[in-house]
Amino acid sequence: MIALLLSACTRSGAATQSQSPLAAWNDGPVKRAILDFVERTTTPGNNDFIPVEDRIATFDHDGTLWPEEPIVQAVFVNARVKAAAAANPGLKQRQPFKAILEGDLGYLRDAGEPALMELLAMTSANMTDGEYTAHVREFFATARHPKLGLPFRALAYRPMLELLDYLRARDFQIFISTGGGADFVRVISQELYGVPPERVIGSALKKELRRESGGVVLWRKPAVAVINDKETKPVNIDAHVGKRPVMAAGNVRSGGDIAMLEYSDRGDRPDTGSQPAASLQLMINHDDAAREFAYGEKDGASLAAARAHGWHVVSIKRDWRAVFAPAGDQQNPP
Amino acid sequence: MIALLLSACTRSGAATQSQSPLAAWNDGPVKRAILDFVERTTTPGNNDFIPVEDRIATFDHDGTLWPEEPIVQAVFVNARVKAAAAANPGLKQRQPFKAILEGDLGYLRDAGEPALMELLAMTSANMTDGEYTAHVREFFATARHPKLGLPFRALAYRPMLELLDYLRARDFQIFISTGGGADFVRVISQELYGVPPERVIGSALKKELRRESGGVVLWRKPAVAVINDKETKPVNIDAHVGKRPVMAAGNVRSGGDIAMLEYSDRGDRPDTGSQPAASLQLMINHDDAAREFAYGEKDGASLAAARAHGWHVVSIKRDWRAVFAPAGDQQNPP
């Protein structure tokens, strides 16, 4: 027993005492701000010390912890429609399935929510939770990124994995707050990020309890219960956590993370000497076409919010020494 | 650092090795079933061993972890209406406030949901989360149980506190799943039960993000978002935890916990030799008018479900050696 406890302690101690916690981050203002924030908030006696129970950090998923070009859940939906069309060729001529199979984005954009719901109903609803999870597992077992050529499970951003480890070693509780389906992300969150399912907050379908001969199951209905995006992210974080995060990370694309970063912002301004409470916000900017993708935002709202609030903009090109895990590790994702 | 780690390890070891984990429980089939379940599911090599990450236990609140006669949140609503009527005497003649102030349960029963919503709107909505939490804290600072004469904060059931401690020492994750408001219970869950806010699942009002000069706040709208009761308990547990509990505890009164217990039930039947997976269900029966309260259920559904599924019925009279903390401790609730 003692030996077991000691070995557990040694592992934890090793993580805490790691000498270079953010090796895949280039030295610069963002890395320094992260190290400084964590040091200030976890050092007893510091004015900015945050008790362990309040060290809540929330991370967006697509574009923040792994790529969103394309959205991985959309690739999954596409794969499920293809599988259905193989079994039932008539689907190839029926919208919105035809559009998905032919990559007709124009049709899908114009068809809007009813088309999306039909796709969700076919691929993600009208089945039990257990059946859905099995489909998602099957997808991740073999699916590869269409442009990067790597398994999706190898695409977690290495600097962000280091950041999660660093925060965990300092007793932060990490929550993922994703616009994607919570049930989709929960299948891989522990394996990829060390984040257990109970710390994943996301969009969700309505479900109902059904009594079957072997016991009860949860049945996935073809109707949306929660869309976790923009102003609803803080509301859903509150519903789930009941505490306000002291750190949040999101990315530039649709403005989807602005409200979550605002919610975590206590107005910490080390440069002005006015410090209501310490907090840290990261807004990742995808500006590296060579190593990942480069894209902006039509209205520039996310970068404008970052400027207005003094949030840290993470430039993938400038701030990340590496984007993905080393090649040797990519065959064996974390 | 080493000394700190060792002391942390010693504490954890001591808790795990406690010699009499359920001292406030009388010896009998229920206590034996609990000890046996925990022993089987946490002993490596046992056929029923459950990995730490799957040791999810869900507890109802009112009537399961503390008394529900009367419902404490109703006492809070009453106190808030009284405070409002003191400031605005006209309210005393306006329904449904008149009925609440005069204890006119007949009116409230007949008036139904619209009356309830008016009461919630006045006492629990149209304010920020921070304002609401301050009201609840103020209430718990002084409010006492009308019949038992003790502060509400001293009314956590001692046998259940022991059970929570015992489960935690064996690395179970405890979640509270309450029909009451999550925000109400979260104010006291850590202090009374050692359950942090992020592990409280409950009913909730709709909220919206509002931008104010000092930053964003969550505004409580006078509309219900979630009622956490009966068949929605499993749905909300799934939304929050993403894993199926292996243990659940509820109580007899309204049938509100039957579905939650079914959801945790894997059909474990040690007596028949058929064991799909180990799980434990407790249904508390309030049958002790001398030490707490005695009441039943009109349709007997909870006890019928317990019989049908082989769940363990906890008789407060027979199974609990003590109901509340010792008198000396009641002035200093846990």
Side-chain angles (χ1 to χ4, degrees):
Chain A
M1 170 58 92
I2 289 292
L4 254 175
L5 286 170
L6 278 176
S7 88
C9 284
T10 311
R11 277 202 306 278
S12 149
T16 310
Q17 290 168 15
S18 168
Q19 286 310 304
S20 51
L22 300 176
W25 292 72
N26 286 317
D27 288 327
V30 176
K31 179 172 179 173
R32 280 198 298 276
I34 296 171
L35 294 171
D36 173 64
F37 168 76
V38 172
E39 203 56 39
R40 282 188 290 133
T41 55
T42 62
T43 302
N46 191 298
N47 279 340
D48 289 331
F49 180 76
I50 298 174
V52 168
E53 62 269 25
D54 294 329
R55 293 181 197 162
I56 306 290
T58 53
F59 286 76
D60 171 54
H61 186 218
D62 296 314
T64 296
L65 294 176
W66 74 353
E68 61 181 351
E69 188 62 43
I71 299 274
V72 180
Q73 197 172 348
V75 180
F76 165 77
V77 166
N78 190 299
R80 295 296 309 158
V81 171
K82 266 194 189 132
N88 174 7
L91 285 179
K92 290 178 192 162
Q93 302 311 320
R94 252 185 68 199
Q95 294 293 17
F97 312 112
K98 184 169 186 285
I100 268 277
L101 292 168
E102 295 172 356
D104 182 355
L105 294 180
Y107 176 87
L108 292 170
R109 224 180 351 249
D110 296 343
E113 200 175 305
L116 182 69
M117 283 314 306
E118 258 198 282
L119 291 169
L120 275 180
M122 161 179 282
T123 61
S124 309
N126 297 320
M127 63 184 86
T128 67
D129 262 353
E131 288 162 349
Y132 177 73
T133 299
H135 289 317
V136 179
R137 272 190 213 294
E138 192 190 335
F139 169 77
F140 277 116
T142 58
R144 299 176 88 86
H145 192 283
K147 295 175 196 166
L148 300 166
L150 294 166
F152 286 114
R153 291 154 72 202
L155 290 182
Y157 296 136
R158 187 172 156 198
M160 297 306 281
L161 293 180
E162 289 179 357
L163 176 55
L164 297 182
D165 281 345
Y166 177 52
L167 291 169
R168 264 189 294 259
R170 298 303 193 100
D171 293 322
F172 280 79
Q173 261 195 74
I174 315 280
F175 290 84
I176 293 176
S177 173
T178 176
D183 289 338
F184 186 79
V185 177
R186 281 170 169 173
V187 171
I188 46 144
S189 63
Q190 178 69 50
E191 177 190 331
L192 265 67
Y193 310 113
V195 175
E198 61 270 29
R199 296 197 183 161
V200 174
I201 306 162
S203 298
L205 297 181
K206 290 186 178 162
K207 300 185 189 179
E208 67 181 18
L209 193 77
R210 289 198 175 177
R211 293 183 169 87
E212 301 193 344
S213 61
V216 297
V217 296
L218 291 184
W219 185 258
R220 303 170 64 83
K221 298 169 77 171
V224 169
V226 180
I227 296 285
N228 192 47
D229 194 32
K230 296 194 169 76
E231 268 69 18
T232 63
K233 279 199 175 189
V235 173
N236 292 326
I237 288 168
D238 167 69
H240 199 101
V241 185
K243 296 171 190 165
R244 206 154 162 160
V246 294
M247 197 213 135
N251 72 286
V252 177
R253 178 166 213 172
S254 61
D257 294 319
I258 296 172
M260 178 170 79
L261 268 60
E262 284 183 275
Y263 187 53
S264 74
D265 191 347
R266 317 302 173 88
D268 182 30
R269 297 283 178 280
D271 49 330
T272 65
S274 157
Q275 303 187 351
S279 67
L280 180 75
Q281 292 74 35
L282 302 178
M283 182 65 86
I284 298 172
N285 194 22
H286 292 263
D287 58 0
D288 192 333
R291 296 186 301 170
E292 202 241 5
F293 300 101
Y295 50 85
E297 199 168 55
K298 276 182 198 162
D299 60 3
S302 294
L303 291 176
R307 271 192 304 275
H309 292 280
W311 300 335
H312 297 279
V313 175
V314 178
S315 156
I316 291 182
K317 190 170 188 170
R318 190 187 65 224
D319 289 312
W320 288 0
R321 192 185 299 275
V323 178
F324 301 110
D329 294 355
Q330 284 171 343
Q331 306 313 311
N332 300 306
Chain B
M1 171 58 91
I2 289 292
L4 253 176
L5 286 170
L6 277 176
S7 89
C9 285
T10 310
R11 276 203 307 280
S12 149
T16 309
Q17 290 168 16
S18 169
Q19 286 311 303
S20 52
L22 299 176
W25 292 71
N26 286 316
D27 288 328
V30 176
K31 179 171 178 174
R32 280 198 299 275
I34 296 171
L35 294 171
D36 173 64
F37 167 76
V38 173
E39 203 55 41
R40 281 189 290 134
T41 55
T42 63
T43 303
N46 191 298
N47 278 341
D48 288 331
F49 181 75
I50 298 174
V52 167
E53 63 269 25
D54 294 329
R55 293 181 198 162
I56 307 290
T58 54
F59 286 76
D60 171 53
H61 186 219
D62 295 314
T64 297
L65 294 176
W66 73 354
E68 61 181 350
E69 186 63 41
I71 299 274
V72 180
Q73 197 171 350
V75 180
F76 166 77
V77 166
N78 189 299
R80 296 296 308 159
V81 171
K82 266 192 189 133
N88 175 7
L91 283 180
K92 290 178 192 163
Q93 303 310 321
R94 252 185 68 200
Q95 294 290 20
F97 313 112
K98 183 170 185 287
I100 269 276
L101 292 168
E102 296 172 355
D104 182 354
L105 295 180
Y107 176 88
L108 292 170
R109 224 183 345 253
D110 295 343
E113 200 175 306
L116 182 69
M117 284 313 305
E118 257 197 281
L119 291 169
L120 274 179
M122 161 178 283
T123 61
S124 309
N126 297 320
M127 63 184 87
T128 67
D129 262 352
E131 289 161 348
Y132 177 73
T133 299
H135 289 317
V136 178
R137 271 189 214 293
E138 192 190 336
F139 169 77
F140 277 115
T142 58
R144 299 176 87 85
H145 192 284
K147 294 174 196 167
L148 299 166
L150 296 165
F152 286 116
R153 291 153 72 203
L155 290 182
Y157 297 135
R158 186 172 158 200
M160 297 305 282
L161 293 179
E162 288 179 357
L163 176 55
L164 297 181
D165 281 345
Y166 177 51
L167 291 169
R168 264 190 294 260
R170 298 301 193 98
D171 293 322
F172 280 78
Q173 261 196 74
I174 314 279
F175 289 83
I176 292 176
S177 173
T178 177
D183 290 338
F184 185 80
V185 176
R186 280 170 170 173
V187 171
I188 45 143
S189 63
Q190 178 69 49
E191 177 190 331
L192 266 67
Y193 311 113
V195 175
E198 62 269 29
R199 296 197 183 161
V200 175
I201 307 161
S203 298
L205 296 181
K206 289 186 178 161
K207 299 185 188 179
E208 68 181 18
L209 193 78
R210 288 197 176 178
R211 293 182 168 87
E212 302 192 344
S213 61
V216 297
V217 295
L218 292 184
W219 186 258
R220 303 169 65 83
K221 299 170 77 171
V224 169
V226 180
I227 296 285
N228 192 47
D229 194 31
K230 296 195 168 78
E231 268 69 18
T232 64
K233 279 199 174 188
V235 172
N236 292 326
I237 289 169
D238 168 70
H240 199 102
V241 185
K243 295 171 191 164
R244 205 154 163 161
V246 294
M247 198 212 133
N251 73 285
V252 177
R253 178 167 213 171
S254 62
D257 294 318
I258 296 172
M260 178 170 79
L261 268 59
E262 283 183 275
Y263 186 53
S264 74
D265 191 347
R266 317 304 172 87
D268 182 30
R269 297 283 178 280
D271 48 331
T272 65
S274 156
Q275 304 187 351
S279 67
L280 179 74
Q281 291 75 33
L282 302 178
M283 182 66 85
I284 297 172
N285 194 23
H286 292 264
D287 58 0
D288 192 334
R291 296 186 301 170
E292 202 238 4
F293 300 101
Y295 50 84
E297 200 168 53
K298 274 182 200 161
D299 60 3
S302 295
L303 291 176
R307 271 191 304 276
H309 292 281
W311 300 335
H312 296 280
V313 175
V314 178
S315 156
I316 292 184
K317 191 171 187 170
R318 189 187 64 222
D319 289 311
W320 287 1
R321 191 185 300 273
V323 177
F324 302 110
D329 294 354
Q330 284 171 343
Q331 306 312 311
N332 301 305

